[in-house]
Amino acid sequence: MDIAARIRRRQRRDGQPRLIQDYESLSPVAHVAEPSDRGPLLERLLDHLDPAFDGTLPPNAYLYGPAGSGKSAVVTALFAELERLCTDRSSAIHTSTRAATPAAPRFVYVDGRSTASEFEFYHAVLNALVGEAVPEHGISTDDLRDRLHDVLADSPGAVVAVDHVDDPGAAGADELIDRFASLPSNVSWLAVGRAEPGDVALTTYTATAVAVDPYRRQTLVDLLMERMSAGLARRAVDHALARRVADWADGNAHDALAVVFVAADRAARADRRTIGEGDVDAAIEEVPEPRVSLGRAFALPENRQVVLRRLVDLDPADRESVTETTAAIGSDPEVDLSPGTVKRFLYEMAEVGVVERVQSEEWGGRGRPPSRVELRFPPTAFRRLYDLRQ
């Protein structure tokens, strides 16, 4: 149970009954400190990382599993806690065989979707290891690499987890292999992706692969009820609706939470105190097929997100072609970008799967038919989460 979330829910009360008490608890892109039903996976990861407790580096590894199976949730929570323990000088880990705590390597989590370039990668790793913020301008990639080597020199080193290694927005396998090879020798890595080990070139350089299974139905129901109990008013939803969402999501926690988030937002905007079947129906209808995680959209640079925020508000008639979409977004006074830049961003977002260009089947003119712009994520969830972050 997330105690902090429950406290936040009570702190945010304003005397009026509200359906949604804490949006963060419902967010499909927010990870809790204690991921549900992932104890066995945590133990397997700890078995792999066990050498770190003796002050030595574990070997490289690859963690894999389907979308929404909790890979990111587990790795972010585990690495955050391990980093806290190794940097907290007042803490000590004692076991029956370890009387004292040797110096341990550092633990760094990096999202591969937002660190596609070599500069972004080294900047993220270095920023996690030093106390002061690393500048983003006026410094070269070589400078970052040299400083990273200096920071880790004469230290136990670091374990770097790189998430979403096979996402379209991430660096390619060959680039990652070269990037890992240029890290200091006292650094090992944990790559996290969806593909089977045999399909991933990185596994040539790993000692082990750890599989993650999809959430079981009842476990996913429990996860949804736990998150909803922290984020919604009491008795706002029943188990029957949670079971229905879990059945639809088929083991994908991200998609299940996206439906709950959209359904709750729909009910709240209608000033209702409970989530009904109609809200769930509408939320499921809003989730496109095929779809990408909202995390991929929020991993985009801020200026791309600005364009995406305007895009989700456009009427479908304004998205019948890239040209029309560009004109509609560019006419917004809050978008301080040229039409050429907006169009380029739309093409870039199509390349990473956040939007899709679908050719018109009713085109009767000459030349290539126009392509309407379709969203590959639930727009209500992106709109609300984006606005909450501003």
Side-chain angles (χ1 to χ4, degrees):
M1 191 62 62
D2 192 334
I3 296 176
R6 289 178 173 270
I7 293 173
R8 287 198 304 271
R9 181 176 64 181
R10 293 178 180 270
Q11 288 176 327
R12 295 179 184 181
R13 290 189 309 192
D14 55 9
Q16 298 296 322
R18 291 182 298 169
L19 172 62
I20 301 178
Q21 304 289 324
D22 181 26
Y23 277 98
E24 190 73 5
S25 295
L26 303 176
S27 171
V29 294
H31 299 310
V32 297
E34 296 289 340
S36 299
D37 190 48
R38 284 302 182 247
L41 173 59
L42 281 168
E43 287 299 325
R44 278 182 285 158
L45 282 173
L46 283 170
D47 285 342
H48 171 73
L49 298 170
D50 191 68
F53 295 104
D54 286 322
T56 59
L57 284 174
N60 304 328
Y62 176 58
L63 177 72
Y64 68 100
S69 57
K71 304 183 298 296
S72 298
V74 169
V75 172
T76 53
L78 178 58
F79 271 56
E81 181 63 14
L82 289 171
E83 174 66 2
R84 186 190 69 79
L85 287 173
C86 80
T87 55
D88 184 359
R89 296 183 179 180
S90 65
S91 66
I93 302 174
H94 298 283
T95 69
S96 59
T97 58
R98 299 177 178 119
T101 303
R106 302 284 300 276
F107 291 86
V108 177
Y109 172 87
V110 174
D111 188 342
R113 297 175 300 198
S114 56
T115 55
S117 73
E118 191 175 11
F119 179 91
E120 291 169 331
F121 177 77
Y122 289 121
H123 186 276
V125 175
L126 185 59
N127 211 39
L129 292 173
V130 297
E132 70 281 6
V134 179
E136 297 183 10
H137 306 286
I139 186 171
S140 69
T141 300
D142 289 340
D143 291 334
L144 289 174
R145 187 189 301 110
D146 291 343
R147 188 175 176 194
L148 180 60
H149 279 257
D150 291 340
V151 167
L152 291 174
D154 301 320
S155 79
V159 183
V160 179
V162 184
D163 203 354
H164 308 110
V165 295
D166 48 10
D167 267 37
D174 291 341
E175 290 179 273
L176 276 175
I177 290 170
D178 290 341
R179 206 166 289 174
F180 289 147
S182 64
L183 290 170
S185 58
N186 58 345
V187 173
S188 66
W189 46 266
L190 171 69
V192 184
R194 298 180 187 175
E196 293 288 327
D199 299 327
V200 180
L202 289 170
T203 56
T204 304
Y205 305 91
T206 59
T208 187
V210 180
V212 184
D213 296 324
Y215 279 98
R216 299 189 301 272
R217 176 179 178 272
Q218 187 54 49
T219 302
L220 188 50
V221 171
D222 293 341
L223 181 153
L224 293 176
M225 292 304 297
E226 181 177 338
R227 297 283 285 265
M228 288 188 290
S229 70
L232 298 176
R234 295 181 62 187
R235 294 185 290 275
V237 69
D238 59 27
H239 272 81
L241 284 180
R243 287 194 295 271
R244 184 177 168 216
V245 174
D247 285 340
W248 171 84
D250 193 25
N252 188 318
H254 171 276
D255 288 354
L257 284 167
V259 165
V260 166
F261 188 97
V262 173
D265 185 75
R266 185 176 187 272
R269 284 186 287 109
D271 201 27
R272 291 194 294 273
R273 298 294 176 260
T274 60
I275 299 174
E277 290 187 9
D279 299 315
V280 172
D281 289 340
I284 290 175
E285 183 68 23
E286 187 177 311
V287 179
E289 183 63 46
R291 53 187 171 270
V292 299
S293 72
L294 285 157
R296 187 179 297 179
F298 283 111
L300 294 170
E302 181 58 34
N303 53 7
R304 273 73 164 177
Q305 290 188 43
V306 169
V307 171
L308 206 55
R309 176 62 183 85
R310 301 300 174 265
L311 179 62
V312 299
D313 281 347
L314 291 185
D315 187 275
D318 292 327
R319 295 190 275 109
E320 286 301 316
S321 71
V322 175
T323 299
E324 291 179 60
T325 304
T326 298
I329 294 175
S331 65
D332 190 319
E334 295 187 23
V335 179
D336 187 21
L337 298 169
S338 70
T341 299
V342 171
K343 180 176 284 190
R344 175 166 60 85
F345 286 176
L346 290 173
Y347 280 115
E348 288 178 359
M349 289 189 286
E351 289 178 0
V352 298
V354 172
V355 301
E356 184 176 2
R357 294 164 53 218
V358 181
Q359 284 193 354
S360 173
E361 298 178 355
E362 300 179 358
W363 175 247
R366 295 181 178 181
R368 188 174 183 176
S371 298
R372 70 179 183 274
V373 180
E374 296 284 356
L375 304 172
R376 296 271 65 93
F377 55 86
T380 295
F382 179 84
R383 179 188 297 113
R384 177 64 69 182
L385 289 169
Y386 179 91
D387 291 348
L388 288 169
R389 294 182 179 196
Q390 301 312 303

